[in-house]
Amino acid sequence: MARFYLAPLEGITTQIFRNAYHQHFCPMDKYFTPFFVPHSKKGFSTKEKREILPENNAGLFLVPQIMSNHAEDCLKTIDKLLAYGYKEINLNMGCPSKTVVSKGRGSGFLAFPEELDRFLDGVFEGIRDTDVRLSVKTRLGKDGPEEFFRILEIYNQYPLEELIIHPRVQKDFYKNEPNLELFAYGQENSKSPVCYNGDIFTAEKYEKIQKLFPKVSAFMLGRGILMDPALLERIKKEAGDGGAQAGKIRRFHDKLCEEYRALGMGDKNVLFKMKEIWCYLGKSFPGKEKALKKIRKAERFDRYEAAVEELL
Ligand SMILES: Cc1cc2nc3c(=O)[nH]c(=O)nc-3n(C[C@H](O)[C@H](O)[C@H](O)COP(=O)(O)O)c2cc1C
């Protein structure tokens, strides 16, 4: 069986989410943190530390992700992560958000292949005497999929631990279909092991992609897990019946609430976090639009809980 990774989802797959998922559902082979942007402070901020402290991620294979276009800054953050014992680190070349892209980061960096090459050269030179392994999570390009030919040539010059390909371009955001033709090209021509990522929302979709790319040994799941946290069980054909699944969702949900509340972030912020999850999780509850609307509209925690009770 292939290996499965939980995708990084900024603001959602926090250490609280990762742990709650790991406890309640089929464990992933790897978990990725949402991106860290290098900054000039000496250590990590309190929030960053919470994400990466080994005791907050016990039992999980965690790969921290960095988003940077500046080799020296990136190396400083790699150094800080090394101090926490991380040996595998992922570089984000995929984020499509406008604020990130306008700074030439994430998938915005893909529009500057020469700079990208210099960046990777600097970073790999900088880690030469360490045992850090670097992987890359990439889109196909910024404006058009044909950019990927050059981008892959660049990646192929470096000993990447793996190349995670989300076969869309920045301009797609999350629209259009993943470009499977270009993914096939990547899989055939990458010198590093390739991981597939994009739009695996059902076990049937996984099987379809897996049959198309039988040599791919790793798959990264993102929104599919948010919509259906039991997706990996379904893929592995280990899912229990509907009743058992509903109980697990309830316990998973309660754990998330409890842990976010314990952070002391205030009910309003906890509700914001939970509602963001419901934007996806709600898809598992067709015909329950009324209760979902109540969840969306809830301004107070007691109302929120009553709406969740009604739904679950
Ligand atoms: C809300 C949101 C936040 C995301 N944050 C990150 C991130 O921090 N780092 C990253 O590499 N990708 C991020 N992504 C992209 C996902 O990791 C993944 O590549 C994308 O959702 C496609 O996979 P999926 O179709 O399985 O969800 C984010 C996506 C979404 C929707």
Side-chain angles (χ1 to χ4, degrees):
M1 189 83 177
R3 289 179 314 138
F4 294 91
Y5 306 157
L6 183 68
L9 296 139
E10 225 259 307
I12 303 177
T13 59
T14 58
Q15 57 92 12
I16 288 181
F17 184 99
R18 298 190 299 266
N19 281 299
Y21 173 83
H22 191 77
Q23 270 173 22
H24 293 89
F25 294 97
C26 188
M28 297 275 174
D29 297 291
K30 284 185 191 176
Y31 294 83
F32 289 71
T33 70
F35 60 80
F36 288 87
V37 176
H39 52 69
S40 52
K41 282 189 220 114
K42 201 153 172 261
F44 286 115
S45 68
T46 310
K47 193 168 158 238
E48 288 171 332
K49 266 190 217 149
R50 194 163 59 228
E51 281 304 306
I52 50 142
L53 276 174
E55 59 264 39
N56 289 352
N57 295 284
L60 279 68
F61 188 109
L62 183 67
V63 182
Q65 184 186 67
I66 299 177
M67 183 163 66
S68 173
N69 55 9
H70 191 281
E72 244 172 76
D73 291 351
C74 185
L75 284 165
K76 280 186 196 146
T77 305
I78 291 176
D79 253 358
K80 292 189 213 172
L81 289 167
L82 264 175
Y84 285 91
Y86 291 100
K87 297 273 188 273
E88 184 174 330
I89 292 165
N90 180 258
L91 303 175
N92 179 326
M93 307 293 175
C95 182
S97 124
K98 288 230 165 77
T99 45
V100 160
V101 169
S102 64
K103 294 182 187 127
R105 296 190 190 131
S107 57
F109 205 4
L110 303 176
F112 305 99
E114 308 317 315
E115 278 92 333
L116 174 68
D117 192 11
R118 266 201 298 281
F119 167 81
L120 288 172
D121 195 54
V123 174
F124 273 92
E125 181 59 29
I127 61 161
R128 210 177 44 182
D129 299 325
T130 72
D131 50 2
V132 175
R133 305 182 302 277
L134 290 179
S135 63
V136 164
K137 180 166 179 284
T138 191
R139 288 198 177 217
L140 299 174
K142 183 168 175 295
D143 297 315
E146 68 288 346
E147 293 167 28
F148 190 56
F149 300 114
R150 173 76 187 114
I151 289 165
L152 186 61
E153 259 173 30
I154 294 170
Y155 293 148
N156 274 342
Q157 295 172 59
Y158 302 96
L160 301 181
E161 175 70 7
E162 61 191 337
L163 180 64
I164 303 162
I165 305 176
H166 177 195
R168 283 191 167 94
V169 294
Q170 184 272 334
K171 250 178 42 187
D172 291 329
F173 281 90
Y174 292 95
K175 295 188 298 275
N176 306 327
E177 290 292 306
N179 187 326
L180 297 183
E181 233 170 88
L182 264 286
F183 179 80
Y185 176 84
Q187 183 225 218
E188 288 297 328
N189 294 284
S190 168
K191 292 195 174 147
S192 320
V194 162
C195 167
Y196 176 88
N197 168 238
D199 294 28
I200 298 182
F201 300 153
T202 60
E204 294 72 38
K205 183 71 180 275
Y206 164 74
E207 274 164 31
K208 194 177 143 209
I209 304 253
Q210 199 278 332
K211 281 207 181 91
L212 284 173
F213 307 112
K215 282 190 287 184
V216 169
S217 60
F219 294 84
M220 177 179 264
L221 310 172
R223 291 166 298 164
I225 291 289
L226 304 183
M227 291 182 224
D228 175 13
L231 176 60
L232 186 51
E233 271 112 314
R234 293 187 213 288
I235 287 174
K236 294 189 171 181
K237 304 203 187 323
E238 292 168 0
D241 62 19
Q245 290 304 339
K248 277 214 260 189
I249 294 213
R250 174 90 238 197
R251 290 190 294 279
F252 170 64
H253 168 274
D254 292 354
K255 183 75 181 168
L256 287 175
C257 269
E258 181 192 318
E259 294 287 330
Y260 278 126
R261 290 191 100 180
L263 287 183
M265 51 161 61
D267 280 359
K268 228 175 134 189
N269 290 322
V270 177
L271 283 182
F272 181 83
K273 284 257 174 237
M274 296 310 298
K275 287 181 191 179
E276 196 174 6
I277 292 171
W278 278 110
C279 291
Y280 298 93
L281 190 57
K283 305 240 172 359
S284 279
F285 297 89
K288 300 276 181 113
E289 279 71 23
K290 249 173 94 181
L292 286 166
K293 192 168 169 196
K294 283 187 199 161
I295 290 177
R296 271 199 310 277
K297 297 262 173 228
E299 300 279 347
R300 282 182 10 210
F301 211 81
D302 51 350
R303 300 235 169 96
Y304 169 79
E305 286 203 307
V308 170
E309 187 67 36
E310 183 184 328
L311 184 83
L312 291 175

